[in-house]
């Protein structure tokens, strides 16, 4: 559908791309602003532009920018409910929009074109609202605008409530060395690998590798915010207090950072965020004269993927030892020292809670059992009660599963199920194993009566208590550091993780991941690469419901 200025059309697609195309050499920078009902952004995070290319919610992002085109992705289905409009704007550094030929905005749903807006005869402005997505009666629509601001991007941003910091003033008088370069100490002083002013040429810097001077030198440029300290050429106009990218260095830096991130992941999975290899990552950034802030930004998603990997590996055998919990906390501390985890801190806390609970359950399995008192429950004189919970015994019949409600009671002598009009009890000597699988407690016994599947509110805790009671009764409590038969060798974990890409095989999620036996251990499945897969918690439980 082709629209003219002021036109509108419904947008039913859950996610769309917005493509800007133009026919002149002038560069157009796209932006997006997520506005509340007040017509203003809620916080500065709602301003998506080249220095903050992705909204924290992930609903809007700047994806590609090339000669004559730029692309944004807008996931309308995930835009927060407090956002009523998503404004798409553009700005130019040189000239005005009147100098931009053949400027076109296209809204696409995959390969299908939904809306085309040819912005002809624009005003002589340097910033412009091109169009906006807005809610109407619970649905999304798109309106073409084409309204400009003579005051540029600053004026447009302030109009929508962006807090704009003044750009730092360029120094006057004699040129000073860039602030990232400090005077070189005497060679006898312990110095970090870095660029230092060359004592033989005041206009250059020389690389110190930590032990000696090398033959690598670079030109030293004035500390001018409008000049790239890396190549000395003019940068984009500084905006909103953030360092603008240098269009000349941007491609080289992006190419290096792609390789650097791959190396960073290898270091994390090999030795963690510590040691010589970790330090060398940051030295490599200094050598390329790339700000460490770029490295910290690139590492944030890798850091979370690494922590998810640490937790999934620890839980592979359902035993969390104290050293594994300590290693997790050490990794978090070391990553926080290098990276501002920011909004990811909530996810870190979720992982920490999962590890702490796993450690608690491991201690219960090892014999640190609760001792309960139930006045209405009649036990033998020397019998200790460990657990008494509401449960449903699940019997799998040809007509479907049958649930019998009752209570599951575990003591120092027996495991009992007391149901309406029926009940079973087994001494621990007749029980082979107890496990939590797919949201249920699985009891394997030497006799058909008493064994089976039980549905309870917290199957992991109930299974841990019963397993601890079984181990004590059979004197099977493991020695410190000893693993049971469910243990997965480290090299097998790494192979499965790499094969599955560190994400759920079913839905692709990378949160709350677990190693799953495709054929469960309770049904004779082996602990092998071929019989293991990565599933998220939700898909793992759904799989159990299908078995």
């Amino acid at each position: 559908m082709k629209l003219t200025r002021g036109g509108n059309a419904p947008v039913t697609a859950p996610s769309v791309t917005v493509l800007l195309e133009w026919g002149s050499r002038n560069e157009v920078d796209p932006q997006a602003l997520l506005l509340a009902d007040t017509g203003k952004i809620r916080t500065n995070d709602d301003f998506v532009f080249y220095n903050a290319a992705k909204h924290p919610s992930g609903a809007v992002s700047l994806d590609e920018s090339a000669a004559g085109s730029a692309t944004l992705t807008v996931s309308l289905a995930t835009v927060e409910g407090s956002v009523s409009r998503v404004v798409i704007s553009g700005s130019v550094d040189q000239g005005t929009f009147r100098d931009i030929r053949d400027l076109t905005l296209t809204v696409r749903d995959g390969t299908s074109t939904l809306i085309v807006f040819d912005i002809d005869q624009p005003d002589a402005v340097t910033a412009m609202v091109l169009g906006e997505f807005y809610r109407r009666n619970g649905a999304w629509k798109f309106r073409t605008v084409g309204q400009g601001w003579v005051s540029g991007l600053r004026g447009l941003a302030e109009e929508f409530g962006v807090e704009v910091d003044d750009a730092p003033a360029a120094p006057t008088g004699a040129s000073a060395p860039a602030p990232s370069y400090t005077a070189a100490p005497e060679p006898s002083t312990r110095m970090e690998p870095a660029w230092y002013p060359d004592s033989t040429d005041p206009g250059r810097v020389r690389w110190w590798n930590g032990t000696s001077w090398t033959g690598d030198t670079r030109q030293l440029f004035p500390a001018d915010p409008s000049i790239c300290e890396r190549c000395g050429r003019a940068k984009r106009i500084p905006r909103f207090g953030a360092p603008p990218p240098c269009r000349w260095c941007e491609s080289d830096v992006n190419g290096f950072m792609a390789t650097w991130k791959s190396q960073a992941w290898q270091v994390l999975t090999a030795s963690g965020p510590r040691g010589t290899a970790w330090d060398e990552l940051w030295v490599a950034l200094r050598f390329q004269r790339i700000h460490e802030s770029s490295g910290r930004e690139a590492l944030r998603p890798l850091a979370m993927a690494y922590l998810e990997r640490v937790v999934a590996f620890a839980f592979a055998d359902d035993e969390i030892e104290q050293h594994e919990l300590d290693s997790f906390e050490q990794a978090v501390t070391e990553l926080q020292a290098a990276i501002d985890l920011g909004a990811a801190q909530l996810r870190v806390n979720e992982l920490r809670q999962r590890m702490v609970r796993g450690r608690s359950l491991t201690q219960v399995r090892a014999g640190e059992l609760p001792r309960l008192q139930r006045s209405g429950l009649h036990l033998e004189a020397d019998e200790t009660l460990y657990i008494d919970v509401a449960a449903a015994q699940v019997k799998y019949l040809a007509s479907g599963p049958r649930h019998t409600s009752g209570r599951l009671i575990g003591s120092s002598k027996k495991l009992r199920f007391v149901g309406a009009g029926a009940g079973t009890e087994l001494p621990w000597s007749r029980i082979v194993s107890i496990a939590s699988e797919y949201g249920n407690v699985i009891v394997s016994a030497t006799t058909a009566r008493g064994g089976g599947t039980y549905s309870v509110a917290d199957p992991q805790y109930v299974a841990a208590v019963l397993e601890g009671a079984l181990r004590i009764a059979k004197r099977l409590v493991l020695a410190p550091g000893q693993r049971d038969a469910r243990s997965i060798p480290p090299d097998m974990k790494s192979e499965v993780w790499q094969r599955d890409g560190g994400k759920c095989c079913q839905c692709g999620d990378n949160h709350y991941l677990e190693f799953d036996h495709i054929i469960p251990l309770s049904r004779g499945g082996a602990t092998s690469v071929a019989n293991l897969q990565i599933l998220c918690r939700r898909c793992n439980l759904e799989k159990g419901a299908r078995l």
Side-chain angles (χ1 to χ4, degrees):
M1 178 183 299
K2 201 159 189 176
L3 297 179
T4 58
R5 186 177 280 110
N8 65 82
V11 180
T12 58
S15 181
V16 297
T17 58
V18 179
L19 175 64
L20 292 180
E21 296 177 294
W22 58 93
S24 61
R25 294 184 178 180
N26 302 56
E27 187 174 358
V28 178
D29 290 325
Q31 302 91 30
L33 300 104
L34 288 73
L35 308 182
D37 291 334
T38 60
K40 306 287 185 181
I41 62 171
R42 299 164 300 173
T43 70
N44 276 357
D45 286 340
D46 289 338
F47 183 36
V48 179
F49 66 120
Y50 63 82
N51 270 331
K54 189 171 184 178
H55 191 265
S57 69
V60 181
S61 61
L62 305 183
D63 295 335
E64 299 177 10
S65 183
S69 68
T71 304
L72 303 89
T73 297
V74 182
S75 178
L76 297 172
T78 59
V79 172
E80 297 154 296
S82 57
V83 174
S84 59
R85 296 159 57 198
V86 179
V87 170
I88 307 298
S89 63
S91 63
V92 294
D93 285 345
Q94 300 175 351
T96 69
F97 272 97
R98 186 167 290 174
D99 304 317
I100 306 296
R101 302 192 316 272
D102 304 326
L103 179 60
T104 301
L105 180 150
T106 305
V107 179
R108 290 179 175 172
D109 172 16
T111 58
S112 303
T113 298
L114 304 180
I115 296 169
V116 177
F117 175 34
D118 293 328
I119 309 169
D120 53 356
Q121 298 180 342
D123 296 330
V125 294
T126 55
M128 178 183 295
V129 170
L130 305 171
E132 63 179 5
F133 296 93
Y134 64 98
R135 298 184 194 265
R136 179 62 56 85
N137 297 327
W140 285 99
K141 302 185 74 173
F142 184 81
R143 177 189 297 118
T144 59
V145 180
Q147 176 184 349
W149 270 259
V150 178
S151 54
L153 182 57
R154 175 181 293 269
L156 183 151
E158 289 176 335
E159 175 73 18
F160 293 112
V162 178
E163 297 176 359
V164 179
D165 298 327
D166 291 330
T172 58
S175 297
S180 56
Y181 308 123
T182 57
E186 294 297 325
S188 59
T189 306
R190 181 174 178 80
M191 299 158 52
E192 287 189 350
W195 296 102
Y196 295 95
D198 191 345
S199 58
T200 63
D201 186 348
R204 301 188 73 81
V205 289
R206 184 175 294 274
W207 181 254
W208 171 265
N209 65 9
T211 58
S212 62
W213 296 106
T214 70
D216 300 293
T217 64
R218 300 288 187 272
Q219 186 174 348
L220 181 61
F221 300 105
D224 185 339
S226 65
I227 294 177
C228 175
E229 64 182 50
R230 194 169 180 271
C231 70
R233 286 179 279 198
K235 293 192 291 187
R236 293 174 177 174
I237 300 172
R239 297 175 183 153
F240 317 123
C246 167
R247 70 185 68 188
W248 310 104
C249 293
E250 199 166 10
S251 177
D252 290 343
V253 170
N254 289 343
F256 175 81
M257 290 305 298
T259 302
W260 188 85
K261 285 192 290 185
S262 177
Q263 294 171 342
W265 180 248
Q266 293 176 12
V267 170
L268 283 172
T269 55
S271 57
R274 66 191 70 90
T276 302
W278 177 256
D279 294 338
E280 287 175 351
L281 287 172
W282 303 98
V283 171
L285 285 181
R286 286 183 223 139
F287 185 81
Q288 295 293 330
R289 298 202 288 183
I290 298 174
H291 288 283
E292 287 193 359
S293 59
S294 298
R296 290 192 290 269
E297 185 68 25
L299 272 177
R300 187 173 293 117
L302 296 183
M304 291 311 306
Y306 170 68
L307 291 177
E308 289 279 1
R309 184 180 188 270
V310 168
V311 173
F313 275 42
F315 271 95
D317 49 14
D318 290 331
E319 301 282 341
I320 303 298
E321 302 294 347
Q322 185 61 47
H323 72 86
E324 292 175 315
L325 179 57
D326 293 341
S327 296
F328 171 80
E329 291 294 352
Q330 180 186 0
V332 171
T333 299
E334 290 169 334
L335 287 172
Q336 287 176 328
I339 310 164
D340 178 14
L341 294 176
Q345 190 61 51
L346 179 61
R347 195 164 166 188
V348 172
N349 291 337
E350 291 175 355
L351 292 174
R352 177 180 289 112
Q353 291 171 5
R354 185 180 170 196
M355 287 291 290
V356 170
R357 174 175 165 82
R359 176 58 187 153
S360 175
L361 294 179
T362 298
Q363 291 173 305
V364 170
R365 291 191 193 96
E368 298 182 21
L369 298 172
R371 294 172 180 267
L372 307 180
Q373 297 291 334
R374 291 286 191 271
S375 58
L377 195 62
H378 301 289
L379 302 176
E380 297 178 18
D382 58 345
E383 193 172 2
T384 303
L385 178 64
Y386 295 138
I387 196 163
D388 177 10
V389 296
Q393 187 180 48
V394 184
K395 295 285 187 180
Y396 294 97
L397 307 175
S399 58
R402 184 184 70 189
H403 294 76
T404 302
S405 298
R407 302 197 68 78
L408 192 62
I409 302 169
S411 72
S412 56
K413 291 191 174 184
K414 298 177 181 179
L415 174 64
R416 300 174 174 88
F417 176 74
V418 181
T424 60
E425 66 175 37
L426 281 176
W428 291 114
S429 59
R430 293 189 182 179
I431 296 177
V432 177
S433 66
I434 295 175
S436 171
E437 285 187 358
Y438 311 117
N440 294 313
V441 175
I442 311 296
V443 178
S444 299
T446 57
T447 60
R449 184 174 176 81
T453 301
Y454 296 89
S455 175
V456 296
D458 189 347
Q460 291 180 327
Y461 176 73
V462 173
V465 173
L466 296 180
E467 188 175 352
L470 175 64
R471 287 180 177 180
I472 290 177
K474 292 193 172 186
R475 298 181 180 179
L476 296 176
V477 175
L478 300 178
Q482 183 181 357
R483 294 289 187 175
D484 63 19
R486 294 171 299 189
S487 180
I488 303 174
D491 57 340
M492 192 178 294
K493 296 179 196 175
S494 298
E495 186 173 349
V496 173
W497 187 273
Q498 184 173 2
R499 182 199 66 198
D500 294 348
K503 58 186 178 182
C504 177
C505 291
Q506 299 295 327
C507 67
D509 194 6
N510 60 1
H511 187 43
Y512 210 134
L513 300 177
E514 300 174 327
F515 283 88
D516 170 66
H517 286 78
I518 299 172
I519 301 176
L521 290 173
S522 61
R523 300 191 180 188
T527 298
S528 64
V529 172
N531 194 47
L532 287 169
Q533 63 182 350
I534 302 293
L535 292 181
C536 68
R537 183 66 172 167
R538 179 174 58 83
C539 290
N540 208 354
L541 292 175
E542 289 177 354
K543 173 190 171 183
R546 295 192 299 268
L547 289 176

